[in-house]
């Protein structure tokens, strides 16, 4: 039976799309489907998956109701994500405003951006030395001003804030570059209109600069939080593999990605770790939707 012209065009269209559809099926749909399936089993990575016993929702219920360490990891991850993204963005905005029209701008941008291209493991090692309780530069400075040295990475109260400070230092350069691009896209006539109305520098910043930067803030918030929720390497380098004292309290620095790694590859509970990963995905998805809802209007659109 001869196909109609429309049917032949449809088949041809799907034939052209087939490489992309196959790519997404192999590298997205099948892995996600397998992850969901594994999360309902007690697979231990050592036996074939088909022999794993199905446990229903028990992995999810255990993580949410019984596992105190997962709760601590969630709490630490929330603190880390909010702190590094929003405090880092405030610091980056201040730097961007200072160097935007300053002399030697390219040099300042290079110096600020340099830590971004440094591998996280190297950053962790460097700052692990700076935080060293006996020979670190930070405690040397404290001794010079007459203050007692601190256990930066071995203290339950200071370990996570110390790692967050390192993360902000390492990532603030990229945020500065994006914010400078956003600042330079603000039309000058808005500032001219504000000055005609008698606005001072603070009012210009609050009523012109910040609203016009809202799309940039949205982009930085979403991408920053997605990355911060998945932090692993810096925490591992500084608190697990890089602390020479070896006394960093696990509960104080445990984040979700580190918990998943420990659960899957050290405790051999791949089903439980996969359930935790899917819970993390749900959290990231919900937070992203909230940010898109809150910051959806701004920039030039807000003035139209």
């Amino acid at each position: 039976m001869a196909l109609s012209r429309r049917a032949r065009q449809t088949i041809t269209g799907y034939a052209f799309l087939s490489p992309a559809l196959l790519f997404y099926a192999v590298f997205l749909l099948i892995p996600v489907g397998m992850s969901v399936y594994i999360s309902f089993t007690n697979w231990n990575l050592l036996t074939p998956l088909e022999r794993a016993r199905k446990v229903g929702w028990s992995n999810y219920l255990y993580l949410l109701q019984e596992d105190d360490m997962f709760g601590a990891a969630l709490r630490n991850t929330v603190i880390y994500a909010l702190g590094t993204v929003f405090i880092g963005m405030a610091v980056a905005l201040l730097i961007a405003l200072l160097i935007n029209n300053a002399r030697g701008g390219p040099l300042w941008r290079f110096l600020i951006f340099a830590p971004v291209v440094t591998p996280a493991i190297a950053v962790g090692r460097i700052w692990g030395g700076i935080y060293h309780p006996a020979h670190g530069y930070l405690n040397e400075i404290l001794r010079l001003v007459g203050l007692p040295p601190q256990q930066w990475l071995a203290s339950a109260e200071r370990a996570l804030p110390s790692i967050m400070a390192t993360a902000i230092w390492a990532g603030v350069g990229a945020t500065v570059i994006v914010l400078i691009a956003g600042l330079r896209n603000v039309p000058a006539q808005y500032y001219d209109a504000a000055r005609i109305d008698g606005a001072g520098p603070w009012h210009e910043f609050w009523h012109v600069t910040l609203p016009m930067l809202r799309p940039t803030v949205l982009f930085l918030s979403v991408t920053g939080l997605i990355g911060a929720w998945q932090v692993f390497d810096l925490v591992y380098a500084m608190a697990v593999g890089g602390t020479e004292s070896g006394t960093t309290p696990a509960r104080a620095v445990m984040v979700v990605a580190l918990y998943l790694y420990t659960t899957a590859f050290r405790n051999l509970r791949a089903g439980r770790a996969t359930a935790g990963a899917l819970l993390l995905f749900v959290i990231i998805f919900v937070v992203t939707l909230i940010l898109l809802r809150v910051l959806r209007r701004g920039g030039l659109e807000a003035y139209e």
Side-chain angles (χ1 to χ4, degrees):
M1 184 177 64
L3 297 175
S4 65
R5 178 184 178 85
R6 185 179 181 81
R8 289 198 302 272
Q9 289 178 338
T10 302
I11 294 173
T12 302
Y14 277 110
F16 278 108
L17 286 175
S18 59
L21 295 176
L22 182 63
F23 177 86
Y24 280 107
V26 171
F27 293 103
L28 182 64
L29 296 180
I30 294 177
V32 170
M34 289 293 294
S35 298
V36 174
Y37 173 76
I38 292 172
S39 71
F40 291 103
T41 70
N42 67 344
W43 191 38
N44 62 6
L45 295 174
L46 299 178
T47 59
L49 179 58
E50 56 269 20
R51 294 183 187 176
R53 184 167 56 88
K54 296 179 178 59
V55 296
W57 293 93
S58 63
N59 284 331
Y60 292 93
L61 294 176
Y62 179 83
L63 290 173
L64 295 174
Q65 297 178 355
E66 301 180 34
D67 194 343
D68 294 338
M69 186 59 80
F70 183 72
L74 269 182
R75 183 177 62 255
N76 291 338
T77 305
V78 170
I79 295 172
Y80 178 90
L82 296 180
T84 55
V85 172
F86 293 109
I87 295 177
M89 200 181 307
V91 174
L93 180 57
L94 177 62
I95 296 173
L97 290 170
L98 290 174
I99 70 173
N100 184 29
N101 296 314
R103 296 182 62 183
L107 175 62
W108 288 113
R109 291 195 294 275
F110 167 76
L111 293 175
I112 293 171
F113 192 76
V116 178
V117 297
T118 306
I121 295 296
V123 170
R125 289 292 181 181
I126 293 170
W127 278 85
I130 293 173
Y131 285 136
H132 193 283
H135 312 295
Y137 293 126
L138 207 52
N139 277 343
E140 290 294 334
I141 294 173
L142 292 180
R143 290 190 187 95
L144 287 176
V145 297
L147 295 175
Q150 302 294 323
Q151 296 288 339
W152 299 104
L153 295 177
S155 164
E157 293 77 20
R158 299 185 186 89
L160 187 61
S162 300
I163 296 172
M164 290 168 58
T166 304
I168 291 172
W169 174 84
V172 73
T175 308
V176 168
I177 298 300
V178 176
L179 286 172
I180 287 177
L183 288 172
R184 294 185 176 180
N185 281 329
V186 178
Q189 57 264 34
Y190 292 103
Y191 290 109
D192 295 337
R195 293 187 190 108
I196 291 173
D197 290 339
W202 170 251
H203 288 90
E204 286 183 13
F205 171 76
W206 189 256
H207 295 290
V208 178
T209 303
L210 272 186
M212 298 298 286
L213 282 179
R214 185 174 289 187
T216 307
V217 171
L218 173 62
F219 170 78
L220 291 171
S221 300
V222 171
T223 55
L225 285 174
I226 289 175
W229 284 111
Q230 304 173 68
V231 61
F232 173 82
D233 43 11
L234 191 59
V235 176
Y236 188 88
M238 296 185 69
V240 179
T243 306
E244 295 183 14
S245 61
T247 56
T248 302
R251 186 179 292 272
V253 297
M254 182 64 71
V255 290
V256 173
L258 186 58
Y259 172 90
L260 300 180
Y261 166 78
T262 304
T263 303
F265 298 108
R266 291 189 177 180
N267 301 332
L268 299 179
R269 296 181 182 277
R272 186 175 297 167
T274 307
L278 292 174
L279 288 174
L280 178 62
F281 165 77
V282 171
I283 293 171
I284 294 174
F285 184 72
V286 171
V287 172
T288 302
L289 288 181
I290 293 173
L291 285 175
L292 290 174
R293 177 76 178 177
V294 172
L295 299 173
R296 61 180 177 175
R297 280 183 57 83
L300 290 174
E301 182 185 356
Y303 286 83
E304 294 175 352

